Amino acid sequence: MPETPGSPETPDPLAAREPAERPASFSDAFAAAARRSGIGQVAPGETPTAQSLVRAIGGVRGLIESILPGLAFLVIYTVTKDLTPSVIAPLVVSVVFIVVRLATRSPVMPAVAGLIGVAISAALALFTGRAEDNFLPGLIINAVSIVVLLVSIIVRWPLIGLIVGVLTGDMTGWRSDPAKFRVVLIASWCWVGLFALRLGVEAPLYLASQAAALASVKLLLGVPLYAAMLWVTWLLVRAAFGHQKAVAAPAERP
């Protein structure tokens, strides 16, 4: 039947649904994760500054949200030696962070992710009745991070190289450049060292049931060490990737 004048065309349901239903590829997901990572906050070649470093760890708000829940556990457990309030307090703090972000119309997912991590840790500790189990998820994350980094190094695709490749738009070119490959390899080994240090210090305290000491060490080896490693990584990457960019720029002039 011919359409009457002025009537809208009948939409094709398959055509309308196709773009929305197309799943994101692994490369798209990895690229998004790389851009959200701390390294992704400073482009290769950009000079790292104190401001960019603070931005990479989430800004002042992100810094507070990273430290305060662990500090709440440490203070309350040291004073009371009571597990329940010690793990509930970080949960309350994390909920407050979400409320503040909602009230200020800020991105809420970082605070939600923090709440989920705190909730898992608290639930595990309350279930077992052992305060040190509040830190078990962190120990597992450190161990998994070491394995992932080591596997990437063994197969000659260092994880830092993949992240930098996404950020520079050259996923594979760095592998054929000996200088770049050496830099991302060294940077990847540095991150292995960071996670190994955390695991090597925290695991004995966990096995010895030293929850208060574990909380203190976790704070010291958390944001400060992470920020220092980001700084080292930026300097290494800038030395290799930024140098080539600076050399190539004059050649592009007519």
Side-chain angles (χ1 to χ4, degrees), residues 20 38 41 64 80 105 108 110 113 146 157 165 173 185 200 237 252:
Q41 302 302 312
I64 294 173
T80 67
R105 299 182 181 276
V108 73
I146 292 173
W157 284 89
L185 183 63
V237 169
E252 295 174 357

Side-chain angles (χ1 to χ4, degrees), residues 66-137:
S66 299
I67 293 176
L68 202 54
L71 184 61
F73 175 94
L74 174 61
V75 172
I76 294 176
Y77 188 78
T78 300
V79 173
T80 67
K81 298 298 181 182
D82 191 339
L83 173 61
T84 301
S86 300
V87 297
I88 294 300
L91 279 173
V92 174
V93 170
S94 299
V95 171
V96 170
F97 290 150
I98 293 178
V99 173
V100 170
R101 282 181 174 266
L102 289 172
T104 57
R105 299 182 181 276
S106 302
V108 73
M109 285 311 298
V112 171
L115 175 62
I116 292 173
V118 170
I120 292 173
S121 299
L124 183 60
L126 291 173
F127 178 76
T128 62
R130 302 171 72 240
E132 58 271 19
D133 282 339
N134 185 62
F135 304 97
L136 183 58

Side-chain angles (χ1 to χ4, degrees), residues 51-70:
Q51 182 179 2
S52 61
L53 183 62
V54 171
R55 186 173 70 245
I57 57 180
V60 175
R61 175 181 289 181
L63 187 62
I64 294 173
E65 291 177 355
S66 299
I67 293 176
L68 202 54

Side-chain angles (χ1 to χ4, degrees), residues 142 189-199 221 225-226 229:
N142 286 329
W189 274 115
C190 287
W191 284 95
V192 171
L194 180 146
F195 293 116
L197 175 62
R198 286 179 178 174
L199 194 62
L221 299 182
L225 191 60
Y226 175 76
M229 189 55 63

